[in-house]
Amino acid sequence: MSVTTEKALTTAADVGGAARRADPAPAAPRRNRTLPALLRRTGRALLAVITRTVAIGVLIAVWETAPRLGLVDRTFLPPFSEVAVAWWELLLDGQLAEHAQASLGRSLTGFGLAVAVAVPLGLLIGWYRPLADLLNPLLEVFRNTAALALLPVFVLLLGIGETSKISIVLYACTWPILLNTISAVRSVDPTLLRLAKSMDLPAPRIFQKVILPASVPTVFTGIRLAGAVAILVLVAAEMVGAKAGLGFLVNASQFNFAIPDMYAGIITISAIGVAFNQLLVALERRFTSWRTPTGN
């Protein structure tokens, strides 16, 4: 190839590259595609928010209008606005924070102890068949004994102080976590176990690499159930004997006929339960991020 031909080809390539760099046409379609996609994502987000809040909005609207229209006696079911005012007043004078702090301290302590005890015990029972055969009769007896039925026993043995309340929460939360953990270990896919054994992995490694990861979703199901139980059982225990706590607030408001304060306490209990459940859901997603999502 001659020098003249090479120069001509180089010049043509430079001119073509400059033309391509100067031509802004390909950028326009990209911008045009980005805006509709952003609008679609925003629309889906707004639709999701509306879908998740419309039922609560309807409930609040019915609650507000039914007493005012005389459909229910507003003495026993005041409008939601009055309950909201009572809730705000309890918050401002510190009573709501004091009672919520007392309840959260008890429930979280009992719940944390239940997780620390029930998860390792459930893994052992589910993994070692002889231990399961030994403890199954005892588990069947206690799993069918309601925690609230044993509340007088806890009060008689441990008194009406903090120990009895934490202990009843511990007892009530243990069974959902323990039974779900046992079920999680026993329901691991046998194909995974056969593959692990075919690789000549020792039993501890199979437990670490196969059993534990596969059991996490079902274990968290039990933990979430225990989270709801912790709040409910504690509230019932605080109604029996306590000087502080949301259950005490609800019970004392009923006796004093402070009905708006009673409903304010109930709403607070519900809000704490929802927030606690959402926290556990976030933790579950964090620990099960390896799972393939299902559904739309």
Side-chain angles (χ1 to χ4, degrees), residues 59-203:
L59 174 62
I60 293 175
V62 172
W63 187 350
E64 179 68 27
T65 57
R68 296 187 183 280
L69 296 177
L71 300 178
V72 295
D73 191 344
R74 64 184 300 163
T75 302
F76 303 108
L77 183 64
F80 178 79
S81 57
E82 296 182 9
V83 176
V85 170
W87 185 90
W88 183 250
E89 292 175 351
L90 289 172
L91 181 65
L92 290 180
D93 64 15
Q95 292 187 53
L96 192 63
E98 177 186 355
H99 293 302
Q101 182 178 0
S103 294
L104 283 174
R106 295 162 183 160
S107 60
L108 291 178
T109 301
F111 174 79
L113 292 174
V115 172
V117 171
V119 171
L121 183 59
L123 293 173
L124 289 175
I125 295 175
W127 182 245
Y128 294 107
R129 180 64 62 176
L131 183 61
D133 295 337
L134 176 65
L135 296 180
N136 268 339
L138 190 63
L139 295 179
E140 288 297 326
V141 171
F142 282 103
R143 69 178 291 187
N144 292 294
T145 304
L148 293 179
L150 295 176
L151 179 58
V153 178
F154 281 92
V155 172
L156 288 174
L157 295 178
L158 302 175
I160 61 174
E162 300 297 309
T163 305
S164 62
K165 296 175 181 59
I166 294 175
S167 298
I168 193 68
V169 173
L170 168 63
Y171 175 86
C173 292
T174 295
W175 302 109
I177 301 174
L178 179 63
L179 297 176
N180 276 273
T181 304
I182 295 172
S183 175
V185 175
R186 293 180 179 176
S187 60
V188 173
D189 190 352
T191 304
L192 297 177
L193 295 177
R194 286 195 296 268
L195 288 174
K197 291 177 181 178
S198 68
M199 300 172 64
D200 294 329
L201 291 178

